[in-house]
Amino acid sequence: MSDQSVVPIDQILPHKLPLVALMGRPIFPGIFTPIMIGNPADVKVVEEAVAGNGLIGLVMLLNETETPGIGDLYSVGTAAKIVKKINLPDGGVNIFISTLKRFAVRKSLHEQNPIVAAVEYLEDEEDDTSEVKALTRALISEMKQISENNPLFSEEMRLNMINIDHPGKIADFIASILNIDKAEQQKILEILNVRKRMEQVLVFIKKEQELLRIQKRIQKEINEKIEKSQRDYFLKEELKAIKTELGMVTDAKSSDYQKFKEKFDAFHFEGEVKEAVDQELEKFNIMEPNSPEYVVTRNYLDLIASLPWMESEPEHFDLSRAQEILEADHYGLKDVKERIVEYLAVRKLRNDTKGSIICLVGPPGVGKTSVGRSIARSLGKEFFRFSVGGMRDEAEIKGHRRTYIGALPGKIIQGLKIVKTRDPVFMIDEIDKMGASYQGDPASALLEVLDPEQNTSFRDHYLDLPFDISHIFFIVTANTLDTIPPPLIDRMEIIQLPGYIDTEKLEIAKRYLVPKSLEKNGLKKGQVKYTKDSLLHIANGYAREAGVRNFEKNLDKIHRKLAKQIIEKNEETKKKTQAEAGQEDSAAASLNAKLKFDLDKKAVEKHLGKPIFPEEDIKKADRPGMSVGLAWTSMGGDTLVIEAASVPGKEGFTLTGKMGDVMKESAAIAMTVARKLGTERYNIELDWFEKNHIHLHIPEGATPKDGPSAGITMATALLSLMRGKIISSSLVMTGELSLTGQVLPIGGLKEKTIAARRNKARHIIIPKQNVRDLDDIPDYVKKGIEFHPVERFDEVLALALPN
């Protein structure tokens, strides 16, 4: 309420005042209000003022600090009379004050607490005009609107506002009760011109009204949402009651529960599975849909309901039809097809749907994945493929535990959920490229999956129930067996897929690759014709690797260029003709059908450029110190040139060509054998070794090489160097060399023979113990090649470096 004192203010206000710093907002003149004082220094100032004339100066802090000085205060404050003081238990005081008049600090008499200053009292600049009267009415009118809609404004505030008779005091009173920033209130306190002060307060009233309007709109929207949700709730409850009366399912949860129960009853679960499923189902039934576990449990039950728990139908497949499908889908691969047909025959004879585990091993592009698809088609089974190349987390195989957020079952259970049958064909690609990490070893996780003795009760971490996956026909693919753990290899039937020779690539291109590429690139069947020489030229000059993937890429490249030619001619024809749009399209279509291409060797080079592997790229040993060996890699067989050279200087032996440890040891053995034979048989002086540094190199130095099968090749190259003789032409060799001169057996003879044929070799030296492997090599691969089995290195020298 406003101060109603009749004593003239000028008579009671001294020009020297003790100052109390206000932490909160400034206090305007004409106000009666309580203030809490807690600072001991300020309490002392109050007590001294009460003992004296009871007058203090209230000034707002400019910078908040625990020990304010005169410099931390604003320069304008309000003089106040302490009406009453109440001591508080904590040592502070509560005072009731009546504020009297504005003042400005003119001089500091005591800068620190207790702060005392000389002050000058400020008078309002009267502006008794009609504009001020209008502003007064506007202030009172606007504040009435605010107070009516705001319960924080009491009736006493409204009466005080109406009863104040001075325009400046009305502005001060309104500024004190408005919710505005304290710095803005201080600015109003410092305005002495009454009209300007009223205008500034009116601006803040308008802002307050706008905030109230926004507040009311937000409150209305919230109320509408609450009312809608309440209405929806009551309607849903009514609908549920109606459905209950009609015997219908009342909600989505009940519907899911009923669906799951019907499915689980049809599965006729027993033992552990029945107990676990019933427990999960009952938990789901009493669970609130808003519960975080609701979705987790529902997804788990949905997985169980989606899996093929029922026994599969008896198998009905025709062995002769299976053979036809394998023959139609793949050219060659005779051994592979025979092994697969034998598997199917045993399966049919035993009438057993227990799955088998086959591992197809071979270089890229030889058709491992497509063989798997053909097996599924010949059996009439669903096919599911996933790759484990680069996989480092065992949870990808066996799933995550349900306690983890975002947990999923492993690939095996996911695949069964997709194919919806218990005995599909599963292809696990790139098994040789799995890795181990801190997340586990997926190769070890596959041990249970691929073990016929264990996979009858395979337990996925997510499902956590025993599931019989022994009926799945597993087909595993790999480029090499070297990186597969031996326990895993032991669980699989290994079938090797060799690389193709040029004649095989020719037939594959005619039957499969050319028609497929023509269709893929929008060309008609028979629109492009290749000569035999042109296809052989692609095989030998551009795609000399073991598989046919690059062969297909080169065909695609040619057909894309032909498609471009057709489109360009079509557009040229359209520009020449002035017919209607439909006639133009038909004319272009007929032109497309008429254009035919006959491609010979020259045309192939025009589209593909110069051959990557020119004919002169055939590896030959045409100088002393050179020999040609055969190697096996994950990409198939390959030829390997060994180069040896001697440099006058200090005795030594250098090896280059990124050899592995086994190959380095083999080179050391080759050097010892060659040196022994050179001195004993070929009369090479020991001085020659002491005065020459020998360097052995295998070209393509960036490619890692390892293995013992180049032993006889390296020893022959060294003896060729020592004797200064060139090795017999068209001769290649492979075999491990022992320190006593024995030639030991090697692996991958079929792939190495194919590589020798690609290199146009006519004679191959092989270990005698590998003669048994010749039966596994098709006659058309061996045709024109003479094999020379040897037991000792002496026999190698008789063939390679005859006297």
Side-chain angles (χ1 to χ4, degrees), residues 490-620:
D490 189 50
R491 284 162 167 77
M492 303 182 291
E493 176 72 19
I494 308 298
I495 298 179
Q496 296 279 354
L497 276 76
Y500 299 113
I501 60 172
D502 50 5
T503 53
E504 289 179 309
K505 289 182 180 180
L506 177 65
E507 288 301 320
I508 292 169
K510 284 180 182 177
R511 299 186 189 189
Y512 308 104
L513 302 184
V514 172
K516 179 183 174 184
S517 181
L518 287 172
E519 184 182 354
K520 186 164 67 174
N521 291 284
L523 298 170
K524 300 285 188 294
K525 189 177 180 181
Q527 198 169 358
V528 182
K529 290 185 178 179
Y530 290 89
T531 63
K532 180 181 176 181
D533 287 342
S534 64
L535 290 175
L536 282 172
H537 187 46
I538 296 173
N540 291 320
Y542 300 89
R544 203 179 281 179
E545 78 288 349
V548 291
R549 196 165 285 148
N550 277 336
F551 200 122
E552 186 177 358
K553 288 179 182 177
N554 282 290
L555 289 174
D556 286 342
K557 186 175 180 181
I558 293 170
H559 295 157
R560 285 196 300 270
K561 291 181 182 298
L562 297 181
K564 180 187 172 189
Q565 288 181 24
I566 291 170
I567 295 300
E568 286 174 347
K569 287 189 178 181
N570 283 352
E571 290 177 352
E572 189 179 333
T573 304
K574 282 183 181 181
K575 288 177 183 177
K576 289 179 180 177
T577 59
Q578 299 298 321
E580 295 179 356
Q583 292 174 341
E584 288 178 6
D585 291 342
S586 62
S590 62
L591 176 63
N592 186 3
K594 286 177 184 176
L595 280 172
K596 294 188 183 297
F597 302 91
D598 293 319
L599 299 182
D600 56 11
K601 189 174 176 181
K602 188 176 179 181
V604 165
E605 286 197 12
K606 178 185 173 185
H607 292 301
L608 296 181
K610 292 295 180 184
I612 300 170
F613 307 102
E615 289 186 12
E616 58 270 17
D617 195 38
I618 300 295
K619 293 172 182 174
K620 295 178 182 178

Side-chain angles (χ1 to χ4, degrees), residues 362-375:
V366 295
K368 298 186 294 296
T369 305
S370 60
V371 165
R373 292 185 187 278
S374 295
I375 292 172

Side-chain angles (χ1 to χ4, degrees), residues 521-754:
N521 291 284
L523 298 170
K524 300 285 188 294
K525 189 177 180 181
Q527 198 169 358
V528 182
K529 290 185 178 179
Y530 290 89
T531 63
K532 180 181 176 181
D533 287 342
S534 64
L535 290 175
L536 282 172
H537 187 46
I538 296 173
N540 291 320
Y542 300 89
R544 203 179 281 179
E545 78 288 349
V548 291
R549 196 165 285 148
N550 277 336
F551 200 122
E552 186 177 358
K553 288 179 182 177
N554 282 290
L555 289 174
D556 286 342
K557 186 175 180 181
I558 293 170
H559 295 157
R560 285 196 300 270
K561 291 181 182 298
L562 297 181
K564 180 187 172 189
Q565 288 181 24
I566 291 170
I567 295 300
E568 286 174 347
K569 287 189 178 181
N570 283 352
E571 290 177 352
E572 189 179 333
T573 304
K574 282 183 181 181
K575 288 177 183 177
K576 289 179 180 177
T577 59
Q578 299 298 321
E580 295 179 356
Q583 292 174 341
E584 288 178 6
D585 291 342
S586 62
S590 62
L591 176 63
N592 186 3
K594 286 177 184 176
L595 280 172
K596 294 188 183 297
F597 302 91
D598 293 319
L599 299 182
D600 56 11
K601 189 174 176 181
K602 188 176 179 181
V604 165
E605 286 197 12
K606 178 185 173 185
H607 292 301
L608 296 181
K610 292 295 180 184
I612 300 170
F613 307 102
E615 289 186 12
E616 58 270 17
D617 195 38
I618 300 295
K619 293 172 182 174
K620 295 178 182 178
D622 52 6
R623 295 182 184 182
M626 291 182 70
S627 63
V628 181
L630 297 174
W632 184 91
T633 69
S634 61
M635 304 291 285
D638 197 6
T639 48
L640 206 65
V641 175
I642 308 290
E643 297 177 345
S646 62
V647 182
K650 189 177 178 182
E651 180 180 356
F653 186 43
T654 300
L655 298 174
T656 55
K658 207 166 186 181
M659 301 183 196
D661 290 339
V662 176
M663 186 170 266
K664 286 178 181 177
E665 290 176 0
S666 188
I669 292 169
M671 181 61 187
T672 301
V673 171
R675 182 167 178 164
K676 185 174 186 294
L677 286 171
T679 54
E680 291 179 358
R681 182 177 301 180
Y682 300 115
N683 300 319
I684 297 171
E685 299 293 335
L686 283 173
D687 289 353
W688 187 87
F689 294 100
E690 293 172 358
K691 295 177 181 178
N692 284 278
H693 184 96
I694 299 173
H695 188 156
L696 186 72
H697 175 66
I698 304 177
E700 298 180 13
T703 307
K705 308 165 192 75
D706 206 358
S709 65
I712 63 172
T713 316
M714 289 189 280
T716 306
L718 289 167
L719 278 166
S720 169
L721 172 70
M722 295 172 192
R723 296 180 60 192
K725 292 189 67 175
I726 298 174
I727 292 172
S728 300
S729 61
S730 301
L731 176 71
V732 295
M733 61 190 76
T734 179
E736 181 180 351
L737 180 63
S738 77
L739 200 58
T740 57
Q742 282 187 305
V743 180
L744 304 177
I746 45 84
L749 183 60
K750 186 176 182 180
E751 288 77 9
K752 291 177 178 178
T753 303
I754 291 170

